[in-house]
Amino acid sequence: MIDHRRLLARWRRVDPVLRDLLLGLLFLASAFVPALRNHGTELGGLPTRPFDAPAIGVLLLETLPLAVRRRWPVLCLALVSLGFALDQLRGYHSAAGTALAVALVSAGAYLDRRRRTTALLFSAAYVLLAVVLFRFGSEPVVEFGTFYLLLVFAWGIGAWLRSTRVAEADRRRRVAEDALAAERTRIARELHDVVTHHVTAMVVQAEAARYLTAAPDRLDGTLTAITDTGRRAITDLRHLLDLLNPDHGPETRTPSPGGLLALVEHARQAGQPVEFTEEGTPAESAGSADLVAYRVVQEALTNALKHARGSRTSVEVHHGEREIAVAVSTAGSGSTSPGGSGRGLAGLRERVGVLGGDFSAGRDGAGFTVCARIPTGNPS
């Protein structure tokens, strides 16, 4: 059984010059088909003349230039037009004259520069041909005008094809730019989540180590925590870089090993008193909800370390059948550091919104609360 799609794919891989050369040869062959001998293009009313030796050259000039109709459309149009003019002036009136319409469509479709100049020069050449044919032939003037309108229509078809191709190229370019921008945003968001959390914890732990020089046991524990945090940061960054590698196979992004409990323990090691409550059973097909919930807790704990260091923090996570509810509250305002850019919370709001959930963050009395409702089962 013939696979038409495979044949079409192979045909498209053939060089365009060879494909168009075959088109020109078809027009050349049509001139010798007896059934088409009396149905060729006839302009001017000159008496039909049988093919002679010069006719072969005229037919070749009229058809073979179609091979370069995409690469050099102006040259193709000029040569085919010259062949058509000789065809009519000699009275051959061959079926190959239809190649002129193809050359006009190609010029309208593939010519990028000096389109108006080309159209004016072609029109002037046609007027000259019409004057000569009117002088020696018997065609009424109105027929020359009608034929010119047909030629204009052929050029218009090519111009429409060109505008359609340009519009499609612009659409694909915009889609590619939007996809690139979205990917850059995702990468920036992932880097923010990973780097900010770990680096903030390391800074807090390093600052605390200054005051533990008199307590070697506690200092050693703090330095160990800093080392562990750095190793986790390197592991997460390496995993993120693997995902960005084009040679890396498809992989579902998942939270870091240890999940939410590891985040809480990490914050506790950095000196943040955290109460953690997790209810329900995580859904087997939560899609991206687990990762988003992990990022919400991660960002909230990072902000607590940065802006309310030492204040009591509560993390509550509830796994439902259709959603994950997350609430992170920080009471009081212990020792604070300068405010951030807000990029993390904006990224969380976008993440949750993509999954069709709700996100809120703001002051609640004397503290700050981050809440998120994340539907499960969405693979986005």
Side-chain angles (χ1 to χ4, degrees), residues 74-313:
V74 174
L75 177 62
C76 171
L77 179 61
L79 295 178
V80 172
S81 298
L82 178 60
F84 177 82
L86 294 176
D87 183 296
Q88 300 304 312
L89 291 173
R90 295 283 296 178
Y92 298 131
H93 302 151
S94 68
T98 313
L100 178 62
V102 177
L104 277 169
V105 171
S106 302
Y110 297 107
L111 183 60
D112 294 325
R113 295 182 300 175
R114 299 179 180 176
R115 295 172 58 85
R116 183 176 299 179
T117 301
T118 301
L120 291 176
L121 290 176
F122 176 81
S123 298
Y126 175 79
V127 170
L128 178 62
L129 175 63
V131 170
V132 174
L133 290 176
F134 179 76
R135 180 176 180 182
F136 295 102
S138 58
E139 194 87 47
V141 177
V142 66
E143 296 297 334
F144 291 102
T146 302
F147 189 76
Y148 180 74
L149 292 179
L150 293 176
L151 299 179
V152 171
F153 180 70
W155 174 279
I157 292 176
W160 175 79
L161 292 175
R162 178 178 181 274
S163 63
T164 302
R165 188 177 67 252
V166 171
E168 178 63 17
D170 289 341
R171 186 191 68 81
R172 292 182 178 180
R173 177 181 54 79
R174 288 193 300 269
V175 169
E177 291 176 352
D178 293 343
L180 180 60
E183 184 65 14
R184 285 178 174 175
T185 301
R186 186 182 72 83
I187 294 172
R189 194 167 54 206
E190 294 287 345
L191 287 174
H192 174 274
D193 291 342
V194 172
V195 174
T196 303
H197 176 75
H198 292 301
V199 172
T200 298
M202 293 171 67
V203 170
V204 172
Q205 292 165 342
E207 290 180 350
R210 295 180 181 178
Y211 307 98
L212 299 176
T213 54
D217 294 339
R218 296 179 60 188
L219 177 61
D220 182 70
T222 300
L223 294 178
T224 301
I226 294 175
T227 302
D228 293 340
T229 301
R231 288 172 178 169
R232 280 193 292 267
I234 292 174
T235 299
D236 287 346
L237 286 174
R238 187 172 296 162
H239 177 68
L240 178 59
L241 293 175
D242 285 342
L243 293 179
L244 298 178
N245 187 353
D247 298 330
H248 188 74
E251 180 178 337
T252 302
R253 288 177 293 160
T254 58
S256 297
L260 298 176
L261 185 58
L263 279 178
V264 172
E265 290 298 331
H266 190 198
R268 288 171 179 169
Q269 291 178 2
Q272 191 75 5
V274 181
E275 298 177 1
F276 178 58
T277 303
E278 187 172 16
E279 300 177 350
T281 303
E284 294 182 359
S285 58
S288 298
D290 283 339
L291 176 62
V292 174
Y294 180 90
R295 295 304 188 198
V296 170
V297 176
Q298 185 182 54
E299 179 65 21
L301 290 178
T302 301
N303 288 337
L305 282 170
K306 291 171 60 178
H307 308 301
R309 189 185 314 161
S311 298
R312 184 179 60 84
T313 302

